[in-house]
Amino acid sequence: MASSSSYRISFCVFVVLIVMASAQLSSTYYDTSCPKALSTIKSVVHTAVAKESRMGASLLRLQFHDCFVQGCDASNLLDDTSSFTGEKTAAPNNNSARGFDVIDTIKSSVESICPGVVSCADIIAVAARDSVVCLGGPSWTVQLGRRDSTTASFSLANSDIPAPSLNLSGLISSFSKKGLTTKEMVALSGAHTIGQAKCSSFKARLYNESNIATSFATSLKSNCPTTGGDDNLSPLDTTSPNYFDNAYYKNLLSNKGLLHSDQQLYSGGSTDSQVTSYSTSSSTFSSDFGSAMVSMGNISPLTGTSGEIRTNCRKTN
């Protein structure tokens, strides 16, 4: 009984902390201090995505990988230092995470008009939203006012970012630890309607799993052989890889989820009905995705006097 009571108290404290932190964020945070911040970020993102559509998925992914490690604090942008190993070389990010140069360009542009005002953490959040819109997806109101961390965690990046090998229970648990519901997990997984994955992240599914459409598996094997080719890329959504829509969920209904973790969302479990709903209603998916992104953006932000506003997103001041 004591342990159960302690768990409830700890969980309540966690929830209160999340609510307190998110309450300090505001959609109008820069209206006075840097009124051109959002338009400046949008301009750079649009240019980058127009040059390479894949960059939209990369910038969106940066926010996932930021918020799941230490909260939404731009820790994943920090380079290694003599005092800590950053997150860029952790397994989920190494030779995989992209878009750092675009964030650098945004930061330089914003610094030129409002020095020391806009955080790298907020830039990540706004760039993710603008990337989705660029690729035809929904918009949402980004809450702002995050500050930047002065450290990163290589170990947490390895342990807390959901792996493509996770089963449904593991996915639910991974998101729950961050205060996100199962419904939000399924909605956020829809980010895989854009972007690409390395052969190494889905090879095991391709050759060892039975709940994958035969024609789909065959079409991928030439680019992802049993030996070698681990860095070869395949789109997460083969239907419309450069357009943010609900095709990802339609693919799951046909056993055409690229990653093991993708197909787990439609595998006879508790999330099947939600996948079916999103597959038939793009508006429902769009609405839920935007709401879930706001929730994710509220994970343990640094506010007030915590952290700092980095001048260079790659290093502390």
Side-chain angles (χ1 to χ4, degrees), residues 281-295:
S281 176
S282 59
S283 60
T284 300
F285 163 54
S286 293
S287 177
D288 287 357
F289 182 81
S291 297
M293 286 296 290
V294 173
S295 294

Side-chain angles (χ1 to χ4, degrees), residues 1-312:
M1 289 296 291
S3 60
S4 176
S5 177
S6 297
Y7 172 79
R8 287 197 297 271
I9 293 173
S10 297
F11 179 76
C12 289
V13 170
F14 173 75
V15 171
V16 169
L17 289 174
I18 288 288
V19 172
M20 288 175 62
S22 62
Q24 296 179 51
L25 302 181
S26 165
S27 62
T28 60
Y29 190 81
Y30 296 114
D31 282 8
T32 300
S33 60
C34 192
K36 293 184 178 179
L38 298 190
S39 61
T40 300
I41 296 171
K42 180 179 180 180
S43 177
V44 177
V45 170
H46 277 227
T47 298
V49 176
K51 182 178 180 180
E52 182 199 8
S53 58
R54 183 188 171 202
M55 186 55 67
S58 297
L59 291 172
L60 175 58
R61 186 169 180 247
L62 277 183
Q63 190 181 10
F64 282 86
H65 286 215
D66 176 32
C67 293
F68 268 75
V69 183
Q70 298 188 170
C72 308
D73 61 0
S75 61
N76 62 337
L77 302 182
L78 289 170
D79 290 336
D80 295 351
T81 71
S82 58
S83 58
F84 65 80
T85 299
E87 298 163 21
K88 291 180 179 179
T89 55
N93 296 322
N94 193 34
N95 296 318
S96 175
R98 307 169 70 245
F100 301 114
D101 53 338
V102 177
I103 299 295
D104 289 341
T105 300
I106 295 173
K107 183 60 175 173
S108 295
S109 299
V110 173
E111 283 293 305
S112 69
I113 57 174
C114 307
V117 174
V118 182
S119 69
C120 300
D122 277 347
I123 287 174
I124 290 176
V126 176
R129 187 270 311 277
D130 291 347
S131 293
V132 170
V133 173
C134 276
L135 296 176
S139 183
W140 58 90
T141 301
V142 178
Q143 298 299 303
L144 304 163
R146 301 169 191 80
R147 288 168 64 84
D148 303 321
S149 66
T150 56
T151 187
S153 178
F154 177 84
S155 60
L156 287 179
N158 277 319
S159 64
D160 286 13
I161 296 174
S165 59
L166 287 180
N167 291 328
L168 181 58
S169 59
L171 290 168
I172 292 173
S173 175
S174 179
F175 279 71
S176 178
K177 288 177 182 177
K178 302 302 176 182
L180 298 171
T181 66
T182 298
K183 179 180 179 181
E184 289 170 329
M185 181 272 289
V186 177
L188 290 170
S189 296
H192 285 179
T193 190
I194 54 176
Q196 302 183 59
K198 288 186 176 182
C199 172
S200 58
S201 65
F202 61 87
K203 182 180 290 188
R205 167 163 166 72
L206 205 57
Y207 291 95
N208 301 322
E209 298 184 12
S210 58
N211 62 339
I212 183 170
T214 303
S215 60
F216 179 60
T218 300
S219 70
L220 294 167
K221 288 181 178 179
S222 61
N223 190 51
C224 188
T226 53
T227 303
D230 284 358
D231 290 335
N232 292 345
L233 298 170
S234 289
L236 288 157
D237 167 14
T238 57
T239 305
S240 48
N242 297 318
Y243 190 74
F244 197 97
D245 55 20
N246 66 337
Y248 167 80
Y249 299 101
K250 294 179 180 180
N251 292 338
L252 296 184
L253 265 60
S254 301
N255 281 339
K256 294 180 180 179
L258 185 67
L259 307 179
H260 174 82
S261 56
D262 288 329
Q263 196 59 55
Q264 281 292 295
L265 302 184
Y266 191 80
S267 58
S270 61
T271 56
D272 281 14
S273 60
Q274 189 178 346
V275 170
T276 300
S277 174
Y278 288 164
S279 74
T280 58
S281 176
S282 59
S283 60
T284 300
F285 163 54
S286 293
S287 177
D288 287 357
F289 182 81
S291 297
M293 286 296 290
V294 173
S295 294
M296 187 180 73
N298 285 338
I299 299 175
S300 305
L302 297 173
T303 58
T305 57
S306 299
E308 64 182 16
I309 304 297
R310 288 186 222 138
T311 301
N312 181 332

